[in-house]
Amino acid sequence: MEDYHKPDQQTLQALRNIAARLRINSIKATTAAGSGHPTSCCSVAEIMSVLFFHSMKYRPEDPRNPNNDRFILSKGHAAPVLYAVWAEVGYLKENELLNLRKVDSILEGHPVPKQQFVDVATGSLGQGLGAACGMAYTGKYFDKASYRVFCLLGDGELSEGAVWEAMAFASYYQLDNLVAILDINRLGQSDPAPLQHHVEKYQRRCEAFGWHSIIVDGHSVEELCKVLSQPRHQPFAIIAKTIKGKGIPAAEDKMGWHGKPLPKDMSESVIRELQSRITSCNKRLYPAPPNEDTSSVSLRNIRMPSAPNYKPGDKIATRKAYGVALAKLGRYNERVVVLDGDTKNSTFSELFRNEHPNRYVECYIAEQNMVSVAIGCAVRDRNVAFASTFATFFTRAYDQLRMAAISESNINLCGSHCGVSIGEDGPSQMGLEDLAMFRAIPNSTIFYPSDGVSTEKAVELAAITKGLCFIRTSRPENNIIYNCNEDFHVGQAKVVYKTNDDHVTVVGAGVTLHEALAAAEMLKKERINIRVIDPFTIKPLDSKTIIDSGRATKGRIVTVEDHYYEGGLGEAVCSAVVNEVGFTVHRLAVSQVPRSGKPHELLRVFGIDRDAVVQAVRKMLSSSANAK
């Protein structure tokens, strides 16, 4: 290469010495912890040395500086070598490494963002490259900056389909600022990796996915320096042939050592041997500073410029109201970005794309990667990211959602086409598990708007709410029920129908809230009054409003939801009132795998329409009367 300047011998020796110290500290830390993955650390020592002390540009005293090159350790079980790197640059104290995996240490078994030098949590394998894609896309297309993104993967995780979703994404969007280093150390946890050391097969696969790919000796600092200096015009895969357990004679390239620390006596002898290989070198290596070309970003003032523009009597599906709200939010907030999985004309995210095409990311039918890319886009508070698809297809990305919570990610997800009310498309398209799924995620917020006004407010609130937010939208058109200046808050329900003498409290959301309102009119003719509650957020649930209303109706509550019984609105309400004496909750929900049909037919067949609400209220009142 014309512009490649071979490092001098002092530099190369300094890099070898650093690699040896990374091995030593990884072994020391895991032996002290009594657990961990020293052999997985040892295979990447030279790679980490060259990356952090020769190739990457960053400020070690400020790991989250927006100008820094980014690094993701996708093979998260090799965390000790990452911690050893940050001790080597002086950010961590070396003796801190001996606290690895202790309950009072930030150095957990796998990387987590409570460590300032970690952007996304890893350890559930196969997800790092997708997040790296989001970071690289942000760098190239949103920040228009020169920072690069490096992702280190293990060969075992290359069996994960999500890796290849990310590979396809990076190639399609020509992410030439992205470098993936594949640590081909041959051995998995319980078996060799499928391709073992057939590095040429990995190369052909990467090239087939549109990546520039080069095979190197992963233990040669000189080869690594040379390959990492190459100019790039497409995403770059470095296929590094390595030895698992390199530097540990008893474990080199041997099965049975994965996830096992070295016994104390063995670690001491191995460390002595490694120390003897460290050659005196006068050169001290420091990371090169980054280019200062990344603009500062503030996400503090993300808000709608005006109130919703709906009138009483208007009808709109909440899925369309979501698209209208996104486009409006994007008009006045240039860091709002939207992703979709080839459903934009169903989720109505296309309304955002039509207005703001440069901030829309089409992820195609790869929901796992879409969530990972969204996580990457939101890293370091560079963007407010919204990602949408059918609610049911988020089930495919549940591990990515779980890891988003561990990553402390602020991403917003919209699942449309929830429940049987989508009608003729049938059960494969119906989101009926999504509330249960998102309720189980720590620090999540679940919005379930019931009209256009509340949907717009949900979008605005999601944009400023920390943690993972989920907005559940529906396919049928429904009436506007709120005034445009109605105030909404996370965790605050609305009593949308009440009298001075209510007999039963009915809690519905989305489509079933409108069925409950229709039931209220029907029951009024029988002189039965019901109080109807719109929870607005399922998590956190407004327990106080529900309990107060329950008390006003003598403990009688009916819930009705377009979701399976397990884990949805009914169970959330039951949890809220579990300690209340004299309360009875009658739940209406979808009890079995549904089928195709017209929306109103399916609501009736599965017992969640207005007639079912009327019947449940009558039954509850009848039971109360009989009890007396």
Side-chain angles (χ1 to χ4, degrees), residues 441-484:
I441 294 174
N443 303 316
S444 62
T445 301
I446 301 174
F447 297 91
Y448 194 174
S450 297
D451 77 340
V453 174
S454 55
T455 303
E456 188 161 311
K457 295 291 187 176
V459 168
E460 183 178 30
L461 287 167
I464 58 171
T465 299
K466 291 290 185 187
L468 189 152
C469 291
F470 176 60
I471 303 171
R472 190 178 207 236
T473 63
S474 305
R475 190 168 189 266
E477 292 186 346
N478 282 119
N479 291 326
I480 297 296
I481 57 176
Y482 291 110
N483 190 301
C484 283

mmCIF file of all heavy atoms in Angstrom, residues 441-484:
data_model
loop_
_atom_site.group_PDB
_atom_site.id
_atom_site.type_symbol
_atom_site.label_atom_id
_atom_site.label_comp_id
_atom_site.label_asym_id
_atom_site.label_seq_id
_atom_site.Cartn_x
_atom_site.Cartn_y
_atom_site.Cartn_z
ATOM 1 N N ILE A 441 -39.732 -6.465 30.733
ATOM 2 C CA ILE A 441 -38.430 -5.822 30.552
ATOM 3 C C ILE A 441 -38.255 -4.727 31.601
ATOM 4 O O ILE A 441 -39.108 -3.844 31.723
ATOM 5 C CB ILE A 441 -38.308 -5.238 29.131
ATOM 6 C CG1 ILE A 441 -38.306 -6.377 28.096
ATOM 7 C CG2 ILE A 441 -37.046 -4.398 28.994
ATOM 8 C CD1 ILE A 441 -38.343 -5.913 26.666
ATOM 9 N N PRO A 442 -37.165 -4.760 32.362
ATOM 10 C CA PRO A 442 -36.961 -3.749 33.406
ATOM 11 C C PRO A 442 -36.916 -2.326 32.832
ATOM 12 O O PRO A 442 -36.395 -2.099 31.736
ATOM 13 C CB PRO A 442 -35.597 -4.120 34.011
ATOM 14 C CG PRO A 442 -35.379 -5.544 33.631
ATOM 15 C CD PRO A 442 -36.080 -5.750 32.325
ATOM 16 N N ASN A 443 -37.488 -1.394 33.587
ATOM 17 C CA ASN A 443 -37.453 0.040 33.251
ATOM 18 C C ASN A 443 -38.100 0.365 31.904
ATOM 19 O O ASN A 443 -37.792 1.395 31.298
ATOM 20 C CB ASN A 443 -36.009 0.567 33.267
ATOM 21 C CG ASN A 443 -35.331 0.350 34.595
ATOM 22 O OD1 ASN A 443 -35.916 0.593 35.648
ATOM 23 N ND2 ASN A 443 -34.093 -0.141 34.578
ATOM 24 N N SER A 444 -38.983 -0.520 31.451
ATOM 25 C CA SER A 444 -39.689 -0.226 30.206
ATOM 26 C C SER A 444 -40.936 0.604 30.501
ATOM 27 O O SER A 444 -41.469 0.596 31.606
ATOM 28 C CB SER A 444 -40.086 -1.517 29.493
ATOM 29 O OG SER A 444 -40.974 -2.278 30.301
ATOM 30 N N THR A 445 -41.370 1.343 29.486
ATOM 31 C CA THR A 445 -42.621 2.101 29.554
ATOM 32 C C THR A 445 -43.491 1.656 28.394
ATOM 33 O O THR A 445 -43.008 1.584 27.255
ATOM 34 C CB THR A 445 -42.343 3.617 29.450
ATOM 35 O OG1 THR A 445 -41.481 4.005 30.528
ATOM 36 C CG2 THR A 445 -43.640 4.414 29.542
ATOM 37 N N ILE A 446 -44.749 1.327 28.690
ATOM 38 C CA ILE A 446 -45.651 0.828 27.649
ATOM 39 C C ILE A 446 -46.822 1.789 27.482
ATOM 40 O O ILE A 446 -47.639 1.969 28.393
ATOM 41 C CB ILE A 446 -46.183 -0.577 27.987
ATOM 42 C CG1 ILE A 446 -45.023 -1.556 28.143
ATOM 43 C CG2 ILE A 446 -47.159 -1.049 26.912
ATOM 44 C CD1 ILE A 446 -45.450 -2.930 28.627
ATOM 45 N N PHE A 447 -46.874 2.414 26.315
ATOM 46 C CA PHE A 447 -47.988 3.296 25.962
ATOM 47 C C PHE A 447 -49.006 2.506 25.141
ATOM 48 O O PHE A 447 -48.628 1.779 24.221
ATOM 49 C CB PHE A 447 -47.494 4.469 25.111
ATOM 50 C CG PHE A 447 -46.522 5.381 25.804
ATOM 51 C CD1 PHE A 447 -45.150 5.153 25.726
ATOM 52 C CD2 PHE A 447 -46.966 6.479 26.522
ATOM 53 C CE1 PHE A 447 -44.239 6.006 26.347
ATOM 54 C CE2 PHE A 447 -46.063 7.339 27.153
ATOM 55 C CZ PHE A 447 -44.706 7.096 27.061
ATOM 56 N N TYR A 448 -50.286 2.676 25.482
ATOM 57 C CA TYR A 448 -51.338 2.020 24.700
ATOM 58 C C TYR A 448 -52.407 3.068 24.403
ATOM 59 O O TYR A 448 -53.441 3.130 25.070
ATOM 60 C CB TYR A 448 -51.902 0.836 25.478
ATOM 61 C CG TYR A 448 -52.747 -0.127 24.661
ATOM 62 C CD1 TYR A 448 -53.206 -1.317 25.230
ATOM 63 C CD2 TYR A 448 -53.096 0.128 23.334
ATOM 64 C CE1 TYR A 448 -53.975 -2.211 24.505
ATOM 65 C CE2 TYR A 448 -53.854 -0.755 22.602
ATOM 66 C CZ TYR A 448 -54.303 -1.919 23.196
ATOM 67 O OH TYR A 448 -55.079 -2.810 22.475
ATOM 68 N N PRO A 449 -52.146 3.937 23.415
ATOM 69 C CA PRO A 449 -53.091 5.022 23.121
ATOM 70 C C PRO A 449 -54.360 4.509 22.458
ATOM 71 O O PRO A 449 -54.355 3.469 21.795
ATOM 72 C CB PRO A 449 -52.291 5.918 22.183
ATOM 73 C CG PRO A 449 -51.316 4.999 21.517
ATOM 74 C CD PRO A 449 -50.970 3.953 22.537
ATOM 75 N N SER A 450 -55.419 5.272 22.641
ATOM 76 C CA SER A 450 -56.738 4.835 22.160
ATOM 77 C C SER A 450 -57.334 5.742 21.092
ATOM 78 O O SER A 450 -58.389 5.426 20.546
ATOM 79 C CB SER A 450 -57.710 4.738 23.346
ATOM 80 O OG SER A 450 -57.261 3.768 24.261
ATOM 81 N N ASP A 451 -56.698 6.879 20.836
ATOM 82 C CA ASP A 451 -57.175 7.738 19.743
ATOM 83 C C ASP A 451 -55.998 8.545 19.213
ATOM 84 O O ASP A 451 -54.852 8.399 19.682
ATOM 85 C CB ASP A 451 -58.333 8.644 20.203
ATOM 86 C CG ASP A 451 -57.867 9.840 21.030
ATOM 87 O OD1 ASP A 451 -56.745 9.799 21.572
ATOM 88 O OD2 ASP A 451 -58.632 10.823 21.138
ATOM 89 N N GLY A 452 -56.273 9.418 18.229
ATOM 90 C CA GLY A 452 -55.198 10.183 17.605
ATOM 91 C C GLY A 452 -54.508 11.138 18.551
ATOM 92 O O GLY A 452 -53.282 11.299 18.507
ATOM 93 N N VAL A 453 -55.287 11.780 19.426
ATOM 94 C CA VAL A 453 -54.704 12.735 20.369
ATOM 95 C C VAL A 453 -53.741 12.035 21.327
ATOM 96 O O VAL A 453 -52.596 12.466 21.519
ATOM 97 C CB VAL A 453 -55.811 13.477 21.156
ATOM 98 C CG1 VAL A 453 -55.195 14.361 22.248
ATOM 99 C CG2 VAL A 453 -56.677 14.304 20.207
ATOM 100 N N SER A 454 -54.194 10.941 21.934
ATOM 101 C CA SER A 454 -53.343 10.246 22.907
ATOM 102 C C SER A 454 -52.140 9.588 22.231
ATOM 103 O O SER A 454 -51.072 9.449 22.837
ATOM 104 C CB SER A 454 -54.147 9.216 23.703
ATOM 105 O OG SER A 454 -54.811 8.299 22.860
ATOM 106 N N THR A 455 -52.281 9.213 20.959
ATOM 107 C CA THR A 455 -51.141 8.652 20.230
ATOM 108 C C THR A 455 -50.058 9.702 20.034
ATOM 109 O O THR A 455 -48.864 9.435 20.243
ATOM 110 C CB THR A 455 -51.578 8.097 18.860
ATOM 111 O OG1 THR A 455 -52.598 7.105 19.046
ATOM 112 C CG2 THR A 455 -50.406 7.480 18.116
ATOM 113 N N GLU A 456 -50.473 10.899 19.641
ATOM 114 C CA GLU A 456 -49.494 11.974 19.448
ATOM 115 C C GLU A 456 -48.788 12.300 20.763
ATOM 116 O O GLU A 456 -47.573 12.525 20.797
ATOM 117 C CB GLU A 456 -50.177 13.220 18.886
ATOM 118 C CG GLU A 456 -49.193 14.286 18.479
ATOM 119 C CD GLU A 456 -49.789 15.313 17.525
ATOM 120 O OE1 GLU A 456 -50.422 14.912 16.525
ATOM 121 O OE2 GLU A 456 -49.600 16.517 17.779
ATOM 122 N N LYS A 457 -49.551 12.298 21.846
ATOM 123 C CA LYS A 457 -48.949 12.565 23.159
ATOM 124 C C LYS A 457 -48.009 11.429 23.555
ATOM 125 O O LYS A 457 -46.959 11.664 24.167
ATOM 126 C CB LYS A 457 -50.048 12.728 24.217
ATOM 127 C CG LYS A 457 -50.923 13.947 23.991
ATOM 128 C CD LYS A 457 -50.162 15.238 24.224
ATOM 129 C CE LYS A 457 -51.073 16.446 24.178
ATOM 130 N NZ LYS A 457 -50.378 17.708 24.501
ATOM 131 N N ALA A 458 -48.352 10.196 23.208
ATOM 132 C CA ALA A 458 -47.493 9.054 23.517
ATOM 133 C C ALA A 458 -46.154 9.172 22.798
ATOM 134 O O ALA A 458 -45.086 8.911 23.376
ATOM 135 C CB ALA A 458 -48.181 7.744 23.143
ATOM 136 N N VAL A 459 -46.187 9.583 21.534
ATOM 137 C CA VAL A 459 -44.956 9.745 20.757
ATOM 138 C C VAL A 459 -44.077 10.829 21.384
ATOM 139 O O VAL A 459 -42.858 10.656 21.554
ATOM 140 C CB VAL A 459 -45.283 10.074 19.283
ATOM 141 C CG1 VAL A 459 -44.035 10.531 18.529
ATOM 142 C CG2 VAL A 459 -45.906 8.859 18.596
ATOM 143 N N GLU A 460 -44.693 11.939 21.757
ATOM 144 C CA GLU A 460 -43.940 13.040 22.363
ATOM 145 C C GLU A 460 -43.320 12.620 23.695
ATOM 146 O O GLU A 460 -42.151 12.907 23.969
ATOM 147 C CB GLU A 460 -44.853 14.245 22.565
ATOM 148 C CG GLU A 460 -44.139 15.457 23.135
ATOM 149 C CD GLU A 460 -45.056 16.663 23.282
ATOM 150 O OE1 GLU A 460 -46.273 16.479 23.510
ATOM 151 O OE2 GLU A 460 -44.542 17.782 23.186
ATOM 152 N N LEU A 461 -44.109 11.924 24.517
ATOM 153 C CA LEU A 461 -43.604 11.484 25.824
ATOM 154 C C LEU A 461 -42.518 10.421 25.678
ATOM 155 O O LEU A 461 -41.529 10.426 26.413
ATOM 156 C CB LEU A 461 -44.751 10.958 26.685
ATOM 157 C CG LEU A 461 -45.695 12.024 27.243
ATOM 158 C CD1 LEU A 461 -46.947 11.383 27.805
ATOM 159 C CD2 LEU A 461 -44.996 12.855 28.313
ATOM 160 N N ALA A 462 -42.698 9.493 24.730
ATOM 161 C CA ALA A 462 -41.694 8.449 24.519
ATOM 162 C C ALA A 462 -40.337 9.062 24.177
ATOM 163 O O ALA A 462 -39.290 8.588 24.620
ATOM 164 C CB ALA A 462 -42.137 7.491 23.414
ATOM 165 N N ALA A 463 -40.362 10.139 23.395
ATOM 166 C CA ALA A 463 -39.118 10.776 22.959
ATOM 167 C C ALA A 463 -38.299 11.321 24.120
ATOM 168 O O ALA A 463 -37.076 11.432 24.009
ATOM 169 C CB ALA A 463 -39.426 11.898 21.967
ATOM 170 N N ILE A 464 -38.948 11.626 25.241
ATOM 171 C CA ILE A 464 -38.226 12.217 26.371
ATOM 172 C C ILE A 464 -38.195 11.291 27.588
ATOM 173 O O ILE A 464 -37.716 11.684 28.654
ATOM 174 C CB ILE A 464 -38.837 13.578 26.776
ATOM 175 C CG1 ILE A 464 -40.317 13.430 27.149
ATOM 176 C CG2 ILE A 464 -38.653 14.594 25.666
ATOM 177 C CD1 ILE A 464 -40.928 14.681 27.763
ATOM 178 N N THR A 465 -38.688 10.072 27.444
ATOM 179 C CA THR A 465 -38.715 9.124 28.559
ATOM 180 C C THR A 465 -37.507 8.208 28.494
ATOM 181 O O THR A 465 -37.224 7.603 27.457
ATOM 182 C CB THR A 465 -40.017 8.284 28.523
ATOM 183 O OG1 THR A 465 -41.137 9.161 28.647
ATOM 184 C CG2 THR A 465 -40.046 7.266 29.653
ATOM 185 N N LYS A 466 -36.775 8.122 29.593
ATOM 186 C CA LYS A 466 -35.591 7.273 29.642
ATOM 187 C C LYS A 466 -35.983 5.797 29.605
ATOM 188 O O LYS A 466 -37.036 5.399 30.099
ATOM 189 C CB LYS A 466 -34.799 7.537 30.924
ATOM 190 C CG LYS A 466 -34.130 8.907 30.969
ATOM 191 C CD LYS A 466 -32.980 8.990 29.989
ATOM 192 C CE LYS A 466 -32.227 10.305 30.100
ATOM 193 N NZ LYS A 466 -31.227 10.439 29.034
ATOM 194 N N GLY A 467 -35.100 4.986 29.054
ATOM 195 C CA GLY A 467 -35.345 3.545 28.986
ATOM 196 C C GLY A 467 -36.054 3.154 27.706
ATOM 197 O O GLY A 467 -36.249 3.951 26.788
ATOM 198 N N LEU A 468 -36.430 1.902 27.654
ATOM 199 C CA LEU A 468 -37.086 1.358 26.473
ATOM 200 C C LEU A 468 -38.577 1.691 26.513
ATOM 201 O O LEU A 468 -39.254 1.409 27.501
ATOM 202 C CB LEU A 468 -36.869 -0.160 26.436
ATOM 203 C CG LEU A 468 -37.272 -0.923 25.189
ATOM 204 C CD1 LEU A 468 -36.399 -2.169 25.037
ATOM 205 C CD2 LEU A 468 -38.728 -1.353 25.252
ATOM 206 N N CYS A 469 -39.089 2.301 25.448
ATOM 207 C CA CYS A 469 -40.512 2.642 25.360
ATOM 208 C C CYS A 469 -41.166 1.837 24.236
ATOM 209 O O CYS A 469 -40.594 1.677 23.162
ATOM 210 C CB CYS A 469 -40.706 4.130 25.078
ATOM 211 S SG CYS A 469 -40.236 5.196 26.437
ATOM 212 N N PHE A 470 -42.376 1.364 24.508
ATOM 213 C CA PHE A 470 -43.148 0.632 23.507
ATOM 214 C C PHE A 470 -44.501 1.309 23.345
ATOM 215 O O PHE A 470 -45.188 1.584 24.333
ATOM 216 C CB PHE A 470 -43.348 -0.822 23.931
ATOM 217 C CG PHE A 470 -44.211 -1.633 22.988
ATOM 218 C CD1 PHE A 470 -43.838 -1.810 21.668
ATOM 219 C CD2 PHE A 470 -45.397 -2.218 23.421
ATOM 220 C CE1 PHE A 470 -44.618 -2.553 20.784
ATOM 221 C CE2 PHE A 470 -46.188 -2.966 22.556
ATOM 222 C CZ PHE A 470 -45.799 -3.135 21.232
ATOM 223 N N ILE A 471 -44.846 1.605 22.093
ATOM 224 C CA ILE A 471 -46.152 2.196 21.776
ATOM 225 C C ILE A 471 -46.949 1.154 21.007
ATOM 226 O O ILE A 471 -46.512 0.692 19.946
ATOM 227 C CB ILE A 471 -46.003 3.478 20.936
ATOM 228 C CG1 ILE A 471 -45.115 4.496 21.665
ATOM 229 C CG2 ILE A 471 -47.375 4.071 20.632
ATOM 230 C CD1 ILE A 471 -44.747 5.706 20.815
ATOM 231 N N ARG A 472 -48.098 0.779 21.540
ATOM 232 C CA ARG A 472 -48.935 -0.259 20.918
ATOM 233 C C ARG A 472 -50.040 0.416 20.108
ATOM 234 O O ARG A 472 -50.891 1.119 20.649
ATOM 235 C CB ARG A 472 -49.536 -1.151 22.002
ATOM 236 C CG ARG A 472 -50.217 -2.401 21.466
ATOM 237 C CD ARG A 472 -50.743 -3.278 22.594
ATOM 238 N NE ARG A 472 -50.799 -4.677 22.189
ATOM 239 C CZ ARG A 472 -51.901 -5.440 22.233
ATOM 240 N NH1 ARG A 472 -53.041 -4.941 22.676
ATOM 241 N NH2 ARG A 472 -51.845 -6.695 21.838
ATOM 242 N N THR A 473 -50.030 0.200 18.789
ATOM 243 C CA THR A 473 -51.041 0.843 17.937
ATOM 244 C C THR A 473 -51.911 -0.192 17.240
ATOM 245 O O THR A 473 -51.525 -1.350 17.072
ATOM 246 C CB THR A 473 -50.383 1.762 16.888
ATOM 247 O OG1 THR A 473 -49.560 0.986 16.005
ATOM 248 C CG2 THR A 473 -49.544 2.845 17.556
ATOM 249 N N SER A 474 -53.087 0.276 16.831
ATOM 250 C CA SER A 474 -54.113 -0.617 16.290
ATOM 251 C C SER A 474 -54.437 -0.282 14.841
ATOM 252 O O SER A 474 -54.200 0.838 14.368
ATOM 253 C CB SER A 474 -55.389 -0.509 17.130
ATOM 254 O OG SER A 474 -55.108 -0.752 18.492
ATOM 255 N N ARG A 475 -55.025 -1.248 14.148
ATOM 256 C CA ARG A 475 -55.348 -1.091 12.734
ATOM 257 C C ARG A 475 -56.693 -0.388 12.482
ATOM 258 O O ARG A 475 -56.797 0.441 11.580
ATOM 259 C CB ARG A 475 -55.364 -2.470 12.064
ATOM 260 C CG ARG A 475 -55.453 -2.427 10.545
ATOM 261 C CD ARG A 475 -55.166 -3.796 9.955
ATOM 262 N NE ARG A 475 -55.043 -3.736 8.512
ATOM 263 C CZ ARG A 475 -56.044 -3.965 7.670
ATOM 264 N NH1 ARG A 475 -57.249 -4.269 8.137
ATOM 265 N NH2 ARG A 475 -55.859 -3.894 6.373
ATOM 266 N N PRO A 476 -57.757 -0.691 13.259
ATOM 267 C CA PRO A 476 -59.067 -0.084 12.950
ATOM 268 C C PRO A 476 -59.082 1.422 13.217
ATOM 269 O O PRO A 476 -58.390 1.926 14.112
ATOM 270 C CB PRO A 476 -60.030 -0.797 13.910
ATOM 271 C CG PRO A 476 -59.321 -2.035 14.327
ATOM 272 C CD PRO A 476 -57.861 -1.686 14.328
ATOM 273 N N GLU A 477 -59.884 2.114 12.433
ATOM 274 C CA GLU A 477 -60.110 3.535 12.695
ATOM 275 C C GLU A 477 -61.086 3.674 13.862
ATOM 276 O O GLU A 477 -62.075 2.948 13.956
ATOM 277 C CB GLU A 477 -60.687 4.226 11.461
ATOM 278 C CG GLU A 477 -59.695 4.312 10.308
ATOM 279 C CD GLU A 477 -60.238 5.141 9.153
ATOM 280 O OE1 GLU A 477 -61.471 5.406 9.142
ATOM 281 O OE2 GLU A 477 -59.458 5.511 8.273
ATOM 282 N N ASN A 478 -60.776 4.609 14.754
ATOM 283 C CA ASN A 478 -61.659 4.863 15.889
ATOM 284 C C ASN A 478 -61.854 6.361 16.084
ATOM 285 O O ASN A 478 -61.058 7.180 15.628
ATOM 286 C CB ASN A 478 -61.081 4.262 17.176
ATOM 287 C CG ASN A 478 -61.299 2.755 17.238
ATOM 288 O OD1 ASN A 478 -60.349 1.987 17.293
ATOM 289 N ND2 ASN A 478 -62.554 2.327 17.207
ATOM 290 N N ASN A 479 -62.908 6.711 16.796
ATOM 291 C CA ASN A 479 -63.243 8.117 17.026
ATOM 292 C C ASN A 479 -62.190 8.803 17.898
ATOM 293 O O ASN A 479 -61.599 8.187 18.787
ATOM 294 C CB ASN A 479 -64.600 8.231 17.734
ATOM 295 C CG ASN A 479 -65.739 7.819 16.824
ATOM 296 O OD1 ASN A 479 -65.690 8.035 15.622
ATOM 297 N ND2 ASN A 479 -66.774 7.227 17.403
ATOM 298 N N ILE A 480 -62.015 10.086 17.644
ATOM 299 C CA ILE A 480 -61.249 10.930 18.563
ATOM 300 C C ILE A 480 -62.095 11.117 19.816
ATOM 301 O O ILE A 480 -63.264 11.507 19.735
ATOM 302 C CB ILE A 480 -60.933 12.299 17.915
ATOM 303 C CG1 ILE A 480 -60.048 12.116 16.670
ATOM 304 C CG2 ILE A 480 -60.275 13.231 18.933
ATOM 305 C CD1 ILE A 480 -58.677 11.546 16.936
ATOM 306 N N ILE A 481 -61.512 10.847 20.983
ATOM 307 C CA ILE A 481 -62.288 10.974 22.218
ATOM 308 C C ILE A 481 -61.726 12.054 23.143
ATOM 309 O O ILE A 481 -62.383 12.433 24.110
ATOM 310 C CB ILE A 481 -62.370 9.631 22.985
ATOM 311 C CG1 ILE A 481 -60.964 9.083 23.296
ATOM 312 C CG2 ILE A 481 -63.186 8.616 22.207
ATOM 313 C CD1 ILE A 481 -60.991 7.811 24.141
ATOM 314 N N TYR A 482 -60.537 12.558 22.827
ATOM 315 C CA TYR A 482 -59.927 13.565 23.693
ATOM 316 C C TYR A 482 -59.880 14.919 23.003
ATOM 317 O O TYR A 482 -59.709 15.020 21.788
ATOM 318 C CB TYR A 482 -58.499 13.152 24.082
ATOM 319 C CG TYR A 482 -58.450 11.966 24.997
ATOM 320 C CD1 TYR A 482 -57.980 10.730 24.550
ATOM 321 C CD2 TYR A 482 -58.896 12.065 26.311
ATOM 322 C CE1 TYR A 482 -57.943 9.630 25.388
ATOM 323 C CE2 TYR A 482 -58.870 10.970 27.168
ATOM 324 C CZ TYR A 482 -58.393 9.764 26.701
ATOM 325 O OH TYR A 482 -58.374 8.672 27.537
ATOM 326 N N ASN A 483 -59.996 15.958 23.828
ATOM 327 C CA ASN A 483 -59.785 17.314 23.370
ATOM 328 C C ASN A 483 -58.296 17.492 23.055
ATOM 329 O O ASN A 483 -57.441 16.919 23.727
ATOM 330 C CB ASN A 483 -60.208 18.276 24.498
ATOM 331 C CG ASN A 483 -60.261 19.707 24.021
ATOM 332 O OD1 ASN A 483 -59.264 20.245 23.556
ATOM 333 N ND2 ASN A 483 -61.426 20.318 24.140
ATOM 334 N N CYS A 484 -57.981 18.295 22.070
ATOM 335 C CA CYS A 484 -56.580 18.429 21.642
ATOM 336 C C CYS A 484 -55.679 19.065 22.697
ATOM 337 O O CYS A 484 -54.459 18.919 22.620
ATOM 338 C CB CYS A 484 -56.498 19.225 20.336
ATOM 339 S SG CYS A 484 -56.967 18.227 18.911
#
